[in-house]
Amino acid sequence: AAGRYVPQKGFDLLIDAWSLVEKKHPDWKLNIFGDGDRKLLENIIIKNNLQNCYLNHSTNDIASEFINSSIYVLSSRFEGFGLVITEAMACGVPPIAFDCPCGPKDIINNFKDGILVKSEDINELADKICFLIENENIRKEMGIKARKSSERFKIEHITMQWESLVDNLVKNKTINKD
């Protein structure tokens, strides 16, 4: 996971979910990258006696971290367009995200190139993380589809959409004037 250490990002929820995952899969690790107030998150890690949950500082090379990851989790309580989701997907990492208002549901095709879970439902989040851990073939196939799906957000595709929109607006304005 990656983002600022602020309540919006829901890392407290992710860490609580991870406490359920770690019991079933103690050989897996959760790395959270970001900066901000770490105290609350550190306390949750200690309270849950987690051995494989790490709060890392932000990095200028998040792509390398994604490439070395198997799953990306977005635990936000609310989000705009989750650019970090598309960055993970571009690296072939399937995302799991809370279906919070805006963002994730506009990016993730549920159970095709990632997974959406009910907002703030730590049990479902833990369950879906375990599902991808336990189903390597599905996880890898989802990662392949995630990489392909992320291409729709490349600048050249977005530029073509904007050009088409502007052309249509200009054309319609010209037609309406006459």
Side-chain angles (χ1 to χ4, degrees):
R4 297 176 324 277
Y5 295 147
V6 296
Q8 172 198 347
K9 298 301 181 182
F11 293 135
D12 56 324
L13 302 170
L14 175 56
I15 294 168
D16 282 340
W18 185 255
S19 70
L20 302 171
V21 174
E22 190 174 288
K23 288 175 186 164
K24 289 180 79 174
H25 301 284
D27 53 326
W28 279 68
K29 296 176 183 157
L30 172 61
N31 283 294
I32 304 173
F33 293 88
D35 289 308
D37 187 2
R38 305 161 63 100
K39 194 68 179 155
L40 171 69
L41 303 178
E42 289 168 345
N43 288 337
I44 296 170
I45 292 169
I46 292 167
K47 176 190 84 171
N48 287 308
N49 194 30
L50 297 175
Q51 303 302 306
N52 293 315
C53 181
Y54 305 97
L55 299 178
N56 302 285
H57 290 286
S58 60
T59 175
N60 290 329
D61 189 12
I62 195 68
S64 291
E65 299 302 336
F66 287 144
I67 289 167
N68 291 313
S69 299
S70 299
I71 302 166
Y72 175 76
V73 181
L74 183 102
S75 53
S76 295
R77 290 178 165 88
F78 59 93
E79 197 63 59
F81 182 86
L83 182 60
V84 70
I85 297 172
T86 62
E87 291 171 332
M89 291 171 74
C91 293
V93 180
I96 298 175
F98 282 141
D99 191 8
C100 61
C102 307
K105 65 182 154 212
D106 297 321
I107 301 168
I108 297 171
N109 297 300
N110 200 22
F111 277 93
K112 292 184 177 92
D113 56 17
I115 298 176
L116 295 168
V117 300
K118 183 179 176 193
S119 289
E120 300 188 38
D121 187 333
I122 64 167
N123 291 312
E124 186 182 4
L125 182 61
D127 181 61
K128 296 308 183 247
I129 293 170
C130 288
F131 172 80
L132 286 186
I133 289 172
E134 295 162 3
N135 294 279
E136 181 179 6
N137 289 340
I138 292 172
R139 185 177 72 241
K140 287 183 176 180
E141 182 63 30
M142 207 176 271
I144 290 167
K145 289 178 181 175
R147 182 180 318 205
K148 183 173 275 191
S149 178
S150 73
E151 291 180 10
R152 66 193 160 150
F153 299 109
K154 285 185 171 181
I155 190 70
E156 53 270 19
H157 295 125
I158 301 299
T159 301
M160 287 179 6
Q161 291 175 19
W162 275 105
E163 288 173 352
S164 176
L165 175 65
V166 170
D167 288 345
N168 285 333
L169 290 172
V170 169
K171 181 179 176 181
N172 287 336
K173 187 173 183 176
T174 303
I175 292 171
N176 291 336
K177 271 187 158 183
D178 295 337

